[in-house]
Amino acid sequence: MIRAERLCKTYGAHTKHEIHAVKEINLTIAKNSFVVLKGPSGSGKTTLLNIIGTLDRPTTGNVYIDGEEITAFSDIALSVLRRKKIGFIFQDFNLIPRLSGWENVSYPLIPMGIPLKERFTRAQSLLKIMDLGDRMTHTPEELSGGQQQRVAIARAMVNNPEIIIADEPTSNIDEETSIKLLNTLNELKHKGATIIVATHDPRFNKIADETFTMKDGRFQ
């Protein structure tokens, strides 16, 4: 489903602050697999996730999704691809402060032209699954860290994505919510999604189909 060829990402190129965040990465991720990226902070995990998820572009190299080379896509084309195929779970949640829980969850559906009633219904269903049916109208500041993460998980699922990308998803949440997250991601994988997680959490090793360890921008 996803193939990366000789990916490199350099920040501050040709300056004294040049940083090679990703170096000559080759990676193939099969459809409906659970892949974990491990490694110390600064090893390049987040950069690699962002490139695979089309949030960032490589300096050199190519990315293929479903056999299509996407590296040269326009920003608009990449945005459409993300809306259709990719759900993101961010370490810091990235919720919109002024929106309620259901509005945050349904927000990715607005550019897709989905009517308000259907957006609300989808968000309501997912928030109930996340045990947040009674928090739908609460803003992020009215929610705990674990509750915010569950809203973020629901948002990642709202467009029924083929690919879910999660960056350190258990780093800012409690034990109970972490276990629920692991179970939810595992269930999504069994329903056909492809899961890619960057994490320090060793519990992910037990459910991963493949694990890659990064150091200094490379696979070990």
Side-chain angles (χ1 to χ4, degrees), residues 185-199:
L185 290 176
N186 202 28
E187 288 171 11
L188 290 170
K189 186 258 182 183
H190 287 295
K191 289 179 180 178
T194 301
I195 315 292
I196 311 168
V197 180
T199 183

Side-chain angles (χ1 to χ4, degrees), residues 5-142:
E5 295 181 347
R6 302 190 68 180
L7 286 186
C8 295
K9 181 64 179 181
T10 302
Y11 296 100
H14 310 300
T15 73
K16 63 179 180 180
H17 301 295
E18 185 173 273
I19 297 173
H20 299 283
V22 170
K23 307 171 186 175
E24 294 289 330
I25 290 288
N26 293 296
L27 176 66
T28 299
I29 298 174
K31 185 177 177 64
N32 190 214
S33 60
F34 199 123
V35 173
V36 168
L37 302 178
K38 299 178 2 180
S41 297
S43 61
K45 302 188 302 297
T46 296
T47 300
L48 181 57
L49 278 189
N50 287 343
I51 293 173
I52 292 172
T54 75
L55 294 175
D56 200 358
R57 296 178 184 270
T59 304
T60 58
N62 302 291
V63 178
Y64 299 81
I65 294 181
D66 287 338
E68 189 170 22
E69 204 281 318
I70 64 163
T71 313
F73 273 23
S74 69
D75 290 343
I76 292 175
L78 289 176
S79 179
V80 171
L81 176 65
R82 285 193 294 272
R83 288 201 301 266
K84 289 183 176 180
K85 293 193 175 186
I86 305 174
F88 296 92
I89 303 174
F90 299 99
Q91 181 177 357
D92 55 0
F93 316 140
N94 279 9
L95 301 179
I96 301 172
R98 62 184 176 82
L99 298 185
S100 67
W102 81 264
E103 289 170 327
N104 266 287
V105 172
S106 66
Y107 192 78
L109 301 177
I110 295 175
M112 300 172 70
I114 294 175
L116 175 61
K117 185 176 180 180
E118 184 178 345
R119 297 201 306 268
F120 177 81
T121 300
R122 285 201 205 180
Q124 182 184 49
S125 176
L126 288 168
L127 287 171
K128 284 182 177 179
I129 292 171
M130 293 290 112
D131 296 327
L132 290 172
D134 59 344
R135 295 289 188 271
M136 287 182 50
T137 60
H138 288 58
T139 60
E141 67 177 10
E142 297 172 318

Side-chain angles (χ1 to χ4, degrees), residues 89-95 127 130 132 135 138-155 168-178 180-181:
I89 303 174
F90 299 99
Q91 181 177 357
D92 55 0
F93 316 140
N94 279 9
L95 301 179
L127 287 171
M130 293 290 112
L132 290 172
R135 295 289 188 271
H138 288 58
T139 60
E141 67 177 10
E142 297 172 318
L143 302 173
S144 68
Q147 290 170 334
Q148 290 183 55
Q149 182 64 301
R150 280 182 275 160
V151 171
I153 296 166
R155 181 185 57 194
E168 298 288 357
T170 60
S171 63
N172 292 323
I173 56 178
D174 58 77
E175 180 74 10
E176 181 180 353
T177 306
S178 294
K180 188 175 185 67
L181 170 63

